[in-house]
Amino acid sequence: MKKTIIIVISIILVIAVVVGGIFLIKNNSAEPKERKLQTVEEMQNMLNTIYSSEKVQLPSLDTTVIDVTDETQVNVFTGLKSNANVEELVVSVPFIGSQAYSLAVVKVSEGADIEQMKQEMLDNIDMRRWICVSAEKLYITNYENIIFLVMSSEDWAKPVYDEFKNFVENDIGKELEKSETEDIELPPEM
C-alpha cells in the first residue's frame, strides 16, 4: 500500500513538473511584450530604465513634462514649428546648463505624419542652443506614435539611443541622425 501511494505521488509530481515546464516554455516563446508609452508616467518610467543602464553614464538630469500648449517650449526642445500634433512632451536636460545634452519624448496625435515630424525636428532643432557648447550628435527615431530624440556628445547620446531601441525591442521607425561638425568661430580676443 505504501509503495502504491509513493508511486502515485511520484507520478503526480512528474506530471506537474512537465506541465509547469511546458507552461514556462510557452510563455517565454510568446509574442514580445508590447511596450506601452502612451502616458507621461510610462514615458518617465522608460527614461528611468534607460538611465539606470550600466552603459549610460550621464550628468545629473532633470526630467520634466512640458506644457504642450506652450509652442515656444515645444519648439526649443523638439525643433517643431507647431505644437498642433503634439499630445505629450517629456524632456531630460542636465541640472547644469552648460552641458550639451537634451532628450525629448514626443507623443504624436493619431493620424499625424510622424515621418514628416521627425524630418522637421532633424532640420530645425538647434544643436547649439547652449552657451559655449553644442551637441555633436543627434539621433531621432520613433516607436509607434512616440518620437524619441536625443542630442549630445557621441559618448552620451549613442548609449541612450541604443538603450531606447533595446527598450522597444528594436521595433522602431526610420532612423535619422545628424552630426554637428562645424567649428564655432570665436572672436580673436578669445
Side-chain angles (χ1 to χ4, degrees):
M1 179 80 170
K2 263 186 164 180
K3 280 185 175 182
T4 307
I5 292 174
I6 291 175
I7 292 172
V8 169
I9 291 174
S10 297
I11 291 172
I12 292 171
L13 285 174
V14 168
I15 292 171
V17 168
V18 169
V19 169
I22 291 171
F23 180 74
L24 285 175
I25 290 170
K26 187 174 182 179
N27 280 345
N28 287 339
S29 66
E31 291 291 316
K33 295 176 185 172
E34 184 178 342
R35 300 290 184 192
K36 297 282 186 192
L37 292 174
Q38 296 303 301
T39 67
V40 166
E41 293 79 20
E42 291 167 342
M43 291 182 231
Q44 290 172 320
N45 288 338
M46 180 224 12
L47 291 177
N48 290 338
T49 300
I50 289 170
Y51 292 153
S52 67
S53 168
E54 292 177 2
K55 298 172 187 171
V56 174
Q57 303 295 321
L58 296 170
S60 294
L61 298 173
D62 181 28
T63 299
T64 307
V65 178
I66 301 299
D67 177 4
V68 296
T69 63
D70 185 342
E71 200 167 272
T72 301
Q73 288 284 68
V74 171
N75 177 264
V76 166
F77 289 109
T78 68
L80 293 169
K81 294 179 180 179
S82 168
N83 60 355
N85 290 309
V86 178
E87 286 187 12
E88 301 286 355
L89 175 58
V90 177
V91 301
S92 282
V93 293
F95 282 118
I96 299 172
S98 64
Q99 296 171 316
Y101 178 87
S102 182
L103 179 144
V105 182
V106 182
K107 180 181 177 187
V108 176
S109 302
E110 187 175 328
D113 186 344
I114 290 178
E115 293 306 321
Q116 182 273 330
M117 289 178 74
K118 290 181 344 191
Q119 188 63 50
E120 183 178 337
M121 292 167 78
L122 181 78
D123 294 342
N124 297 315
I125 193 80
D126 183 4
M127 293 177 68
R128 294 182 177 180
R129 73 170 183 236
W130 302 273
I131 298 172
C132 299
V133 294
S134 67
E136 66 181 87
K137 199 70 174 180
L138 167 68
Y139 296 99
I140 302 172
T141 193
N142 69 290
Y143 167 72
E144 296 177 350
N145 67 329
I146 300 296
I147 298 175
F148 185 87
L149 172 150
V150 62
M151 64 179 178
S152 186
S153 67
E154 179 77 16
D155 293 342
W156 286 352
K158 182 70 170 150
V160 170
Y161 184 67
D162 289 343
E163 286 300 312
F164 170 75
K165 293 191 302 184
N166 183 51
F167 185 85
V168 297
E169 298 174 343
N170 277 330
D171 184 14
I172 58 172
K174 181 178 177 183
E175 296 180 84
L176 303 175
E177 64 181 76
K178 180 163 81 173
S179 296
E180 182 66 54
T181 56
E182 295 178 26
D183 290 329
I184 299 172
E185 187 137 344
L186 297 174
E189 62 272 4
M190 299 192 89

